[in-house]
Each structure stands twice: as structure tokens, then as C-alpha cells.
Amino acid sequence: MSIELRGSYPTSRNNSLERNSFRSESFSEDRDQEVIPEVGCLSIVVLGASGDLAKKKTFPALFNLFRQGFLQPNEVHIFGYARTKISDDELRERIRGFLSQGKGASTEHTDDLLKFLQLIKYVSGSYDSEDGFLLLNKEISAHESSKRSQPGTSRRLFYLALPPSVYPLVCKMIRKYCMNQSHLSGWTRVVVEKPFGKDLYSAEELSVQLGELFDEQQIYRIDHYLGKELVQNLLVLRFANRFFVPLWNRDNIANVQIVFREDFGTEGRGGYFDQYGIIRDIIQNHLLQVLCLVAMEKPVSINPEHIRDEKVKVLQSVLPIKYEEVVLGQYEGYRDDPTVSDNSNTPTFATVVLRIHSERWEGVPFILKAGKALNSRKAEIRVQFKDVPGDIFKSKRQGRNEFVIRLQPSEAMYMKLTVKKPGLQMSTIQSELDLSYGLRYQNVTIPEAYERLILDTIRGDQQHFVRRDELKAAWEIFTPLLHSIDAGELKPLSYKPGSRGPAEADALLAKAGYVQTHGYIWIPPTL
């Protein structure tokens, strides 16, 4: 029986027990008498180190892990690799500003920043260059030698902050020139960013190419939504609370909405976005991953593979999408972007109803909605319950009970309830039971999603990463719809920036059974 050892986020660098807990990733009960080799040093390689993703997400996440004590200067070194010809110091200066944001100007922070920057070394080379990767391997090996790591015990993590088009080529170079000897306690792991293909066929082609180079246990397909605090809380909410267990089914739930809204447009990303659209960019990955956690059955245990098994079952139970249950939109002015085609058919808004053919969810619509240039910015899960049978208070017109999980901003979860309105009259009003994280956990810093996921990669915990069969099942759901959009068979409706999107989307929600609440607005509590 394999047992995962998982540490929690330490509150200070002195908490060495928790800090080093990820170093022992797994052990077997039948190996009690076996001498397990010491874990060697850790090399983290950020490929595409000069790009926006690396500067804005990857390096800041690594810095925060360093500040919290998860990355120790006596065992870790960070390598940047890209085509840009710059020095170590030039890379450090490029990322320095992104590491300082929102952290204040304390002496401790400045000291940590200087120490972290000294851990970074830059290697310049092409992504198809043998010389570049040979030089990279030479630098990594020199670091391992300096730390006196025993052969086969060192750990090498490659983070591909790169376009997916170069994944196969770069992975071939890693496989040929930069692999660690992993016959002892060492390993080589590769983190790849979405998008994982554009449809079922391209995704499978990419999976085959990577699968020929690495085992599935070495590949970490990162979806940062799975690292968000409230998304990670879903399994605990569902399976650790007695009062949710009997309610979480088609007998009580009328519909489920999973919503992603942005109040800005493509803003300089028009050329990239136009190749993918809102379904590929948000719905097929982020929102579908959330759906799996909302709809899955209880896994046998919290073992990552048991959890991922149940997610795959949900995806395999989704019925083919009916085009009459799809509304597409494109905001006015989207095509004014010079990097966007004048006749672009790419949707910037989509509402899609998915239906799950299972005993628990038969007849319950799961409404996935995402859009840009809308009237608000938020991401949330909204579980709407059915009307109360025989309602003696006639409160139906005020709205239904809802359980809302706000993923961003202002992380919170609240239950919308009907209560007596204060006063002498026996009248009802909607209110809420509210858990707002900013108010309840004032002294707790909620980690960024990339921090969690990079740490999970070091620990060897794949629970919050997408497995190959899961990826295939997800693309099988959306590929027919995407091909119809690409062929121009489905046209997006025009909507004004700053609106709720096409009016037809609200009509689709009503047709699917969603009852909008009138006269109630949730206001995040203030400190």
C-alpha cells in the first residue's frame, strides 16, 4: 500500500519538520527494512524564462515557496532557459519587479529577494539546439556536483512556460540530454501548460508524442484553476460534511452554474485568443475541471489516482452537447484589434448546458458560462436547489435556496436562505449564511494557485493535474461543437461591452430551469 506524505504550508522558515516533509514522497509498508537513498538536490528549470508567463507567474510562485521555506538555498538551484541572449544579472533584473509586487518593502523581504535571485542562473539556447541543452545539462550537473548529490538521487523539474507547438521538440531535447538517473530516489518531471491541443485529435497527437518520451507519472499537465483555494475545498465540503451528503443529487438540486466573467476584453492578446476562443481558453479546461469536482462520486480514498478515476467517470457520462443549448457571443469592437481577423467567427462569450447521464444527476443541467468584456469580474459555482414543496410562506417569488462558492475575487462561500424579515410582520426575505475568507481568516495568506501546483509537482502529488485519459474525455465532449464553430456553422451573437452578454443567454438559463433571484444582492463583508 502506497502512502503519500503531504506537508502543509509552514508559517515560518524555522518550521523544518513541515518544510522538509515533501522530501519523502512515498514509501511502501513492505520496505520497512530497506535502506532508502537520501534525496539529492533539486534543480528547477524554467524554459521560456524570458516570457510573460515565467515572469508573472512561475518565478513569483518559486519566490513565494522560497520565502515560506519550501525551497532551501542549500539544496535548490533555479535555471532559466530561453533564446534571448542575456546574462544572469539581466534575467534577475527583468523578474525583480514581479517578485516585489504586493510584498511591502520590509528588510526581511529584501533579504529574501536578494538570496532568491542569487539562486537563478541563465542559459541561452534554441529549443532545437543540441548545444543549448548540452550546456544546460552541464550547468545542472555542476550544481548537483557542488551539492555532493549521489548519482541517481538528484531531482530535476522542467517547467515549460512555452507555446504548446514546441512541447514535443523541447521534450525530445530534455529526454536526450537532460534526464536524471532515476534508478534510486531521483527523478525527472515535466510541467506543461495548457492549451493541450485544439481538439481531440491534436490533443491525442500531443499525448502520444509526450508519452513516447516520458511515463505518465513524469508528466504534469497544469491547470491553475485546480490550485485555487476554493476549488481545492470542494472535496472537503462535499465529503466531510454530513448535511451535504443527502442533498447533493437530482432530488434536491435544480441546476448548477459554473461561471467565469471578465470585465475586460482581449487587451493585447487578440492574436492568441483568436486562435482558441472562450471555449478552448476557459470552458473546456478550467470550468470542466470544476464540474468534475462538483459532480463526481466519493472516491475510495484521497489517493490522487482514486480522485482522478472519479473525475474521468464524470466526463465519460456527459451526453453529447445539443446545439440548441448553446449560446455564443462576440463583443462589439473585438475585430477592431489589428491582430484579429476582420471576419473572425471566434466567440468571446459562451453559455453551454451539459447533462450528465447518471443516477445522481439525471435531468440536472450543468450550465457553463464564460465571457469577456462583461459587466463584472468573477468566477463562481452556483448550486440552485428546487422549490420547497407546499410552501406555506409563499416565498417562491423571492428566489430559491442557493449554495454559492465564490472562487475569485473575494473568496467566499455562502448559502442563500429565506428568513423572517425583522419586524412585527410575518413576512420573509432572503439572506445568507456567509463564510468570507478575508474576514474569517484575516491572518492567513491564501497561496497563489501556481505555488500549490509547483509544490505538488516537487512532492510527486498528481491529484491536481490532468491525466491523459481525463484530457481525452474532456476533448471528446467539446470537439464536435468546436469544429462546427470553426467551420462557421454556428455564429456568435453580438453584444455590447459592459453588458451581461447576449440576451439569448439569459433566455437559455431560464429554459434550463434557472430561477433568477430578484431584490437580493450579496455584498462581501468588510473588515
Side-chain angles (χ1 to χ4, degrees):
M1 182 175 74
S2 178
I3 302 174
E4 292 289 327
L5 297 182
R6 297 178 184 147
S8 56
Y9 280 80
T11 55
S12 72
R13 192 164 292 162
N14 294 327
N15 194 337
S16 60
L17 179 60
E18 287 187 346
R19 179 180 67 228
N20 293 323
S21 60
F22 70 81
R23 297 184 67 179
S24 299
E25 293 166 348
S26 63
F27 65 88
S28 299
E29 290 178 346
D30 59 359
R31 294 174 59 193
D32 290 342
Q33 306 303 319
E34 183 179 342
V35 176
I36 301 176
E38 182 182 353
V39 176
C41 65
L42 173 63
S43 299
I44 299 176
V45 183
V46 181
L47 295 113
S50 59
D52 279 352
L53 175 63
K55 290 186 293 186
K56 295 177 180 178
K57 296 295 183 182
T58 314
F59 282 116
L62 292 172
F63 177 53
N64 288 333
L65 290 175
F66 173 78
R67 291 192 73 209
Q68 295 172 84
F70 284 110
L71 300 180
Q72 290 296 294
N74 63 340
E75 65 179 16
V76 70
H77 209 70
I78 299 168
F79 299 87
Y81 185 93
R83 291 174 297 195
T84 309
K85 295 186 181 302
I86 56 176
S87 66
D88 296 349
D89 287 337
E90 285 174 317
L91 176 62
R92 292 165 185 161
E93 284 304 310
R94 287 190 179 197
I95 66 175
R96 180 191 291 267
F98 295 97
L99 307 182
S100 302
Q101 292 177 356
K103 299 294 183 182
S106 67
T107 302
E108 181 184 358
H109 173 78
T110 302
D111 290 344
D112 286 340
L113 180 58
L114 293 175
K115 291 175 184 176
F116 176 76
L117 290 173
Q118 291 307 307
L119 298 178
I120 297 175
K121 183 169 185 60
Y122 183 74
V123 177
S124 175
S126 300
Y127 299 122
D128 59 352
S129 166
E130 295 183 5
D131 292 341
F133 281 89
L134 283 169
L135 178 59
L136 176 61
N137 184 66
K138 180 181 177 181
E139 296 289 352
I140 297 173
S141 298
H143 161 62
E144 293 169 349
S145 297
S146 70
K147 300 301 180 183
R148 296 182 173 85
S149 287
Q150 296 298 315
T153 65
S154 296
R155 299 163 292 162
R156 297 185 177 187
L157 171 60
F158 294 87
Y159 194 111
L160 274 60
L162 296 166
S165 58
V166 300
Y167 286 171
L169 181 60
V170 169
C171 287
K172 285 179 182 177
M173 292 293 174
I174 294 172
R175 178 70 190 182
K176 189 171 182 180
Y177 300 109
C178 299
M179 292 290 287
N180 177 59
Q181 300 175 31
S182 57
H183 60 278
L184 294 177
S185 60
W187 44 254
T188 300
R189 292 172 185 156
V190 178
V191 179
V192 293
E193 281 273 356
K194 77 170 186 72
F196 315 119
K198 292 189 68 173
D199 57 14
L200 174 62
Y201 313 106
S202 58
E204 274 293 279
E205 182 181 15
L206 181 59
S207 291
V208 168
Q209 290 172 326
L210 297 185
E212 291 174 346
L213 300 169
F214 302 105
D215 296 333
E216 183 66 21
Q217 291 75 22
Q218 296 175 297
I219 302 172
Y220 288 71
R221 301 175 187 86
I222 193 170
D223 185 329
H224 75 271
Y225 250 58
L226 291 177
K228 290 185 175 293
E229 178 68 32
L230 273 294
V231 174
Q232 296 213 331
N233 208 352
L234 278 171
L235 292 189
V236 179
L237 283 171
R238 286 198 53 200
F239 301 122
N241 294 289
R242 184 73 176 92
F243 53 79
F244 278 131
V245 174
L247 295 177
W248 213 259
N249 54 52
R250 61 190 176 91
D251 295 330
N252 300 288
I253 293 176
N255 55 77
V256 178
Q257 276 195 74
I258 304 172
V259 179
F260 176 92
R261 304 168 66 89
E262 289 182 332
D263 56 2
F264 53 88
T266 53
E267 295 192 348
R269 294 178 65 242
Y272 165 83
F273 184 86
D274 202 54
Q275 299 177 53
Y276 294 95
I278 199 70
I279 295 177
R280 289 184 175 98
D281 196 39
I282 301 296
I283 294 179
Q284 184 273 339
N285 37 71
H286 299 331
L287 301 195
L288 198 58
Q289 285 292 319
V290 174
L291 179 145
C292 288
L293 296 172
V294 172
M296 64 185 278
E297 297 297 323
K298 181 188 289 187
V300 174
S301 73
I302 58 172
N303 178 288
E305 294 312 312
H306 291 159
I307 293 171
R308 299 204 291 182
D309 287 344
E310 295 302 330
K311 289 169 64 181
V312 171
K313 291 177 186 177
V314 171
L315 295 173
Q316 292 173 337
S317 300
V318 174
L319 296 171
I321 296 172
K322 297 179 180 178
Y323 289 2
E324 60 267 26
E325 293 190 317
V326 176
V327 172
L328 306 175
Q330 186 184 93
Y331 67 83
E332 296 176 6
Y334 170 72
R335 300 181 195 175
D336 294 342
D337 187 322
T339 62
V340 173
S341 170
D342 291 338
N343 57 354
S344 172
N345 197 54
T346 301
T348 61
F349 174 98
T351 296
V352 181
V353 178
L354 297 185
R355 299 184 182 273
I356 300 172
H357 182 57
S358 70
E359 182 179 4
R360 181 182 296 271
W361 297 116
E362 190 75 38
V364 179
F366 283 76
I367 304 161
L368 307 188
K369 181 165 65 174
K372 289 182 172 293
L374 299 177
N375 60 344
S376 63
R377 172 182 173 263
K378 67 179 179 180
E380 68 180 19
I381 305 161
R382 186 173 294 268
V383 180
Q384 186 172 88
F385 292 88
K386 293 183 176 181
D387 294 323
V388 175
D391 178 17
I392 61 174
F393 297 102
K394 297 181 173 55
S395 56
K396 179 179 178 180
R397 63 183 180 276
Q398 292 174 349
R400 291 169 164 173
N401 294 149
E402 291 182 352
F403 179 47
V404 182
I405 302 173
R406 173 72 72 99
L407 306 179
Q408 67 180 35
S410 305
E411 292 94 341
M413 59 184 76
Y414 59 95
M415 179 73 79
K416 288 171 56 178
L417 302 175
T418 299
V419 299
K420 178 187 174 298
K421 186 176 182 179
L424 298 176
Q425 300 285 341
M426 179 52 75
S427 58
T428 59
I429 191 173
Q430 279 213 328
S431 189
E432 71 281 327
L433 297 176
D434 194 326
L435 170 58
S436 291
Y437 274 53
L439 187 63
R440 177 64 178 83
Y441 304 112
Q442 296 182 30
N443 298 320
V444 176
T445 300
I446 297 178
E448 291 291 333
Y450 281 90
E451 293 175 43
R452 295 181 187 276
L453 297 177
I454 291 174
L455 186 57
D456 281 348
T457 306
I458 297 170
R459 289 169 167 166
D461 185 342
Q462 290 192 314
Q463 174 181 332
H464 302 113
F465 295 84
V466 182
R467 201 167 67 188
R468 179 174 174 175
D469 56 344
E470 186 181 346
L471 178 64
K472 179 181 179 182
W475 277 118
E476 285 174 340
I477 295 169
F478 281 100
T479 291
L481 173 62
L482 290 168
H483 283 182
S484 295
I485 296 171
D486 294 342
E489 298 168 8
L490 293 177
K491 299 288 186 181
L493 303 167
S494 179
Y495 66 93
K496 292 185 178 298
S499 69
R500 286 175 49 85
E504 289 82 351
D506 287 335
L508 175 60
L509 261 64
K511 184 179 178 181
Y514 174 69
V515 176
Q516 189 171 355
T517 300
H518 297 284
Y520 169 88
I521 299 175
W522 177 72
I523 301 175
T526 56
L527 300 179

